Amino acid sequence: MKIKAANGVARILKAEGIPWVSCYPTNHVNNALGEEGVRILMMGEERFAVAVADGFSRVTCGRQIGVCTVMSNLNAAGIQMAFGAIAQAWEDSSPVLVITEGVGQGASQHTHFDIAQAFRPVTKWVGKIDRAELVPDTMRRAFTHLRSGRPGPVLLIVPRDLGEYDESAHPYAAVKRWRSGPDPDDVTAAIKALRAAKAPLLYVGEGAYYAHATAELLQFAEAAQVPVLTTLKAKGAFPENHPLAVGVRGSLAEHYLRKCDLLFAIGSSLFPNRFSHAVPDAAKKTIVQCTVDLLDINRSYETTHAVIGDAKLTLQALRDELSKQSGGGIRKNSELVDEIRAGKQVFLAKFRPMMESNETPINPYRVIGDLMKVLDPKASFVTADSGNTRDQTSTVYEAHIPRGHLGWGNVSTLGFSLAGAIAAKLAYPDRQCVNITGDAGVCYMMGNFEAVARYGIGITTLHINNGGYSGYGPGAWGPGHDPYTWKVSDHSAACMSAMARAVGWHGEDVSEPSQVISALKRAFDANAQGRPAFVEFICSHNPVHGGWVGR
């Protein structure tokens, strides 16, 4: 039976278990999706359509692939507008599939813009379907890139004029995920180094998430009895209420990064950047790096021992080898546990007064502190936008379950927290999903509020409104920090909750600390009825948060 090329793409997406496709505004594949019964979510602009799909891949750790369609042809404005979102997915290694139309056969001479060439630097693979019968082969290759190896975005170009192909002559079977295990000799050497270390530290990256290895991580850490630090992207991969957890950032993280004589990395590139730690005195430390990507080895630091392979298979092998070398059994390190507990108390002593503050305007840490009192950490999802809300939330919010929190890597664009919350609610309908944002972030995401209400996605957006952009004003970060651009508008000039209410959200303003918890409960009640909620907190400028080591 012959089918149109676009309908073949849609049927293959169904075969791959894709539950929905986000889009903006038009693409001929969208019509085929509708004909084949694939749900379409129309967002408010291209970047956000990519971001929602990207967020879905992230929050499901690649178990389900986020897919979006974006307009392009001789007028390539749509795919050009999406470039930044695709670049973010590339920098953060997110396996999102972007489908665009491309230029029709024989028309490439009519445009200066080469889509494939422009996007190769920010994608894992760019595939262009030249003939209709190549749809299954190209889709198979796309999902192979999406499911195996280091994750990354794939751009698929599907021209409008491909015609039809015989589906029975060119069948398709869903692509599985391929994994590779580590060299046993490398595993043995890594465990010998771990057991010889006086002050080892386990440093966990997002690779543990994408390998679906959080259970194995917990088993290995408990067997090894070492402190566990995660990257911001891996926050929650190891439960932060665990006695061995030292969090993501701040004084406790810095203490163990400086103290360790062996850094044992799992699923981390070890890139030092704006949102991650550098390794202090790296030349004096033994570095064991367990990663799926050979190109991470000896990249930022000299790798003493490398273990190349899928994090799940690697952790299983490491656990077995540790048991073999140590004679089995777990010998609890009470001294270490007591040291970590004491360090956490010192760390929290800095923030607890702010998290319980009754000052007005409201201290932003009071909002996060009260949020933690209301949320069930075992049945919720929290993420925060780029900027100070990211820094404040990631420092004090305690994630207890895998993907109970979504953090960022080297690129963190404003407005993405809303996309992350939408994706999380679509992936985990029973979770309470919350995103926290600031003044600039709201302006990036507000054009998509109507779509969230239209689809009845019950999420809550918390707006930390201090009336400022670009940090916290003159002097907050030292002389000369954006003294002319930080003050833009305040609540009296622009009531964002009123704008949210105008497009169908539950919305309210909160100016008193005593009202925070009751406002959160009302928002969550609205969510339970399928209505998004926006709570605007009139807050002070309070730039206290844990830093990154070695910046």
Side-chain angles (χ1 to χ4, degrees), residues 9 13 18 20-30 33 45-58 64-72 76-91 93-102 113 115-116 118-120 122-129 138-139 141-143 145-147 152-159 416:
V9 170
L13 292 178
I18 304 304
W20 50 265
V21 173
S22 56
C23 67
Y24 184 85
T26 62
N27 185 306
H28 69 110
V29 173
N30 293 349
L33 292 168
E45 41 96 7
E46 296 88 351
R47 191 192 78 155
F48 201 77
V50 177
V52 171
D54 178 0
F56 193 63
S57 293
R58 294 185 195 225
Q64 291 184 286
I65 301 298
V67 180
C68 62
T69 65
V70 179
M71 182 185 75
S72 73
I79 192 66
Q80 290 169 353
M81 289 292 291
F83 186 95
I86 298 171
Q88 176 174 340
W90 166 249
E91 192 73 16
S93 300
S94 178
V96 59
L97 176 59
V98 182
I99 300 174
T100 195
E101 181 177 338
F113 187 67
I115 295 172
F119 281 86
R120 283 194 179 98
V122 294
T123 54
K124 188 175 180 182
W125 183 64
V126 176
K128 181 177 181 180
I129 302 177
T138 309
M139 293 292 287
R141 191 172 178 190
F143 274 94
H145 281 290
L146 289 163
R147 289 218 165 95
V154 166
L155 176 65
L156 189 64
I157 301 173
V158 186
F416 196 97

Side-chain angles (χ1 to χ4, degrees), residues 101-182:
E101 181 177 338
V103 178
Q105 299 292 329
S108 60
Q109 72 269 30
H110 301 312
T111 178
H112 296 294
F113 187 67
D114 185 328
I115 295 172
Q117 187 67 26
F119 281 86
R120 283 194 179 98
V122 294
T123 54
K124 188 175 180 182
W125 183 64
V126 176
K128 181 177 181 180
I129 302 177
D130 297 311
R131 302 193 308 273
E133 63 269 23
L134 293 178
V135 166
D137 285 345
T138 309
M139 293 292 287
R140 189 178 297 112
R141 191 172 178 190
F143 274 94
T144 298
H145 281 290
L146 289 163
R147 289 218 165 95
S148 298
R150 186 190 193 97
V154 166
L155 176 65
L156 189 64
I157 301 173
V158 186
R160 183 180 293 268
D161 52 2
L162 290 174
E164 299 179 332
Y165 73 97
D166 188 336
E167 192 177 27
S168 61
H170 302 279
Y172 185 89
V175 174
K176 66 164 288 183
R177 176 171 172 261
W178 283 278
R179 300 180 297 159
S180 58

Side-chain angles (χ1 to χ4, degrees), residues 414-449:
L414 287 166
F416 196 97
S417 74
L418 179 65
I422 291 170
K425 191 64 177 179
L426 293 171
Y428 311 112
D430 295 332
R431 288 197 196 181
Q432 179 63 60
C433 298
V434 178
N435 68 295
I436 305 173
T437 188
D439 300 295
V442 171
C443 292
Y444 265 91
M445 64 180 65
M446 188 156 280
N448 293 282
F449 278 9

Side-chain angles (χ1 to χ4, degrees), residues 329-544:
I330 298 175
R331 300 173 180 84
K332 186 175 180 180
N333 189 339
S334 299
E335 183 178 349
L336 173 64
V337 169
D338 291 343
E339 181 184 78
I340 293 174
R341 184 188 301 113
K344 284 182 178 178
Q345 291 304 314
V346 172
F347 171 72
L348 288 173
K350 178 179 180 180
F351 295 96
R352 191 174 289 111
M354 291 179 285
M355 295 170 73
E356 299 173 353
S357 171
N358 289 316
E359 66 185 0
T360 56
I362 302 170
N363 190 300
Y365 284 99
R366 172 65 186 262
V367 176
I368 301 170
D370 282 358
L371 176 66
M372 292 169 64
K373 294 176 182 176
V374 176
L375 282 181
D376 177 357
K378 301 290 186 183
S380 58
F381 168 89
V382 172
T383 189
D385 246 309
S386 176
N388 294 295
T389 52
R390 172 202 57 230
D391 298 330
Q392 292 162 339
T393 304
S394 63
T395 302
V396 299
Y397 182 80
E398 195 172 76
H400 291 191
I401 59 173
R403 283 304 191 223
H405 178 277
L406 180 65
W408 312 119
N410 192 38
V411 174
S412 176
T413 54
L414 287 166
F416 196 97
S417 74
L418 179 65
I422 291 170
K425 191 64 177 179
L426 293 171
Y428 311 112
D430 295 332
R431 288 197 196 181
Q432 179 63 60
C433 298
V434 178
N435 68 295
I436 305 173
T437 188
D439 300 295
V442 171
C443 292
Y444 265 91
M445 64 180 65
M446 188 156 280
N448 293 282
F449 278 9
E450 181 276 329
V452 184
R454 181 182 355 120
Y455 291 116
I457 302 173
I459 61 172
T460 288
T461 296
L462 306 183
H463 175 200
I464 305 299
N465 185 346
N466 57 26
Y469 287 13
S470 304
Y472 285 101
W477 300 107
H481 179 79
D482 299 325
Y484 302 105
T485 61
W486 78 277
K487 186 70 173 177
V488 179
S489 63
D490 57 25
H491 179 70
S492 63
C495 178
M496 298 299 187
S497 63
M499 296 183 192
R501 288 194 296 272
V503 292
W505 289 49
H506 165 86
E508 58 180 288
D509 319 326
V510 178
S511 57
E512 294 294 330
S514 60
Q515 299 172 353
V516 173
I517 287 180
S518 58
L520 291 173
K521 289 180 177 179
R522 288 190 293 272
F524 297 165
D525 287 344
N527 292 167
Q529 302 301 315
R531 188 182 182 193
F534 184 97
V535 186
E536 184 173 0
F537 297 99
I538 313 306
C539 289
S540 61
H541 303 142
N542 197 316
V544 179

